[in-house]
Amino acid sequence: MDQATEQISADVPDWSRERPGQFWDPGRKLLLTVRRYQFWRARGGLFGMLCCKFVVLRHRFWSAVTGAEIPLTCQIGGGLLIPHPNGIVIHPDAKIGVNCLIFHQVTLGSRGRGGVPEIAGHVDIGAGAKILGPVKIGAHARIGANAVVIADVEAHGVATGYPGGIHHARQ
């Protein structure tokens, strides 16, 4: 494991990863609408409700721009990176830990019989990967591009292929 990867925490969110760096930063702007919606919804009151309605409009705009389906009420840990948000679909009940990295065309969803994925902290998910059903992905795991994961992946594990199996665990 390289030194830069080792320094990223699976427990403490790095909020600077989500901060938009410029005006046109669709992935980070979409995440910002999710964070603002959850803030104003928790605050409540008439002003909070009005702010939520405004944020919903911004969320719809950035969702249309990115082509991503990230629900306003999903549980995402801080520090999520979505550098290419096109086609990302996240189930409303899925849980994503802190400092994760999700590339384009990733689906986190159910298999129709209940249960959704739980992603621990600092998990990198490659482009086109599908994580389906009540699976748990351990901290610091890596999911390869176009992998289909329907079983648990241990911490520091690597899953590739169809169905995604653990090929080796890193320490």
Side-chain angles (χ1 to χ4, degrees):
M1 185 175 344
D2 62 56
Q3 190 174 12
T5 301
E6 186 68 32
Q7 294 175 349
I8 298 174
S9 173
D11 301 317
V12 179
D14 180 3
W15 291 102
S16 67
R17 293 163 50 112
E18 289 189 14
R19 191 173 309 129
Q22 54 196 359
F23 172 75
W24 194 254
D25 198 350
R28 289 184 174 119
K29 295 277 184 149
L30 179 62
L31 282 176
L32 186 61
T33 62
V34 172
R35 304 293 184 203
R36 293 256 166 94
Y37 178 84
Q38 292 175 352
F39 170 80
W40 287 113
R41 185 172 178 200
R43 188 166 178 181
L46 180 62
F47 188 70
M49 186 178 74
L50 290 172
C51 288
C52 281
K53 291 192 180 294
F54 175 72
V55 172
V56 166
L57 291 174
R58 291 188 66 178
H59 181 264
R60 288 187 181 170
F61 172 77
W62 289 112
S63 292
V65 167
T66 61
E69 252 184 76
I70 301 177
L72 287 165
T73 57
C74 61
Q75 299 176 37
I76 301 174
L80 176 66
L81 274 182
I82 49 173
H84 308 288
N86 181 277
I88 294 174
V89 178
I90 298 175
H91 191 281
D93 298 329
K95 295 178 183 169
I96 301 173
V98 303
N99 300 330
C100 289
L101 171 65
I102 299 176
F103 282 98
H104 55 283
Q105 302 294 327
V106 167
T107 299
L108 306 178
S110 71
R111 286 190 288 167
R113 285 176 278 170
V116 293
E118 288 184 32
I119 314 295
H122 187 227
V123 174
D124 295 344
I125 304 173
K130 313 293 183 240
I131 302 174
L132 305 171
V135 298
K136 294 181 188 238
I137 309 297
H140 301 287
R142 289 183 178 184
I143 310 298
N146 294 318
V148 178
V149 179
I150 55 174
D152 293 349
V153 177
E154 64 189 27
H156 297 277
V158 176
T160 60
Y162 173 80
I166 298 174
H167 296 279
H168 71 278
R170 302 173 293 135
Q171 285 295 333

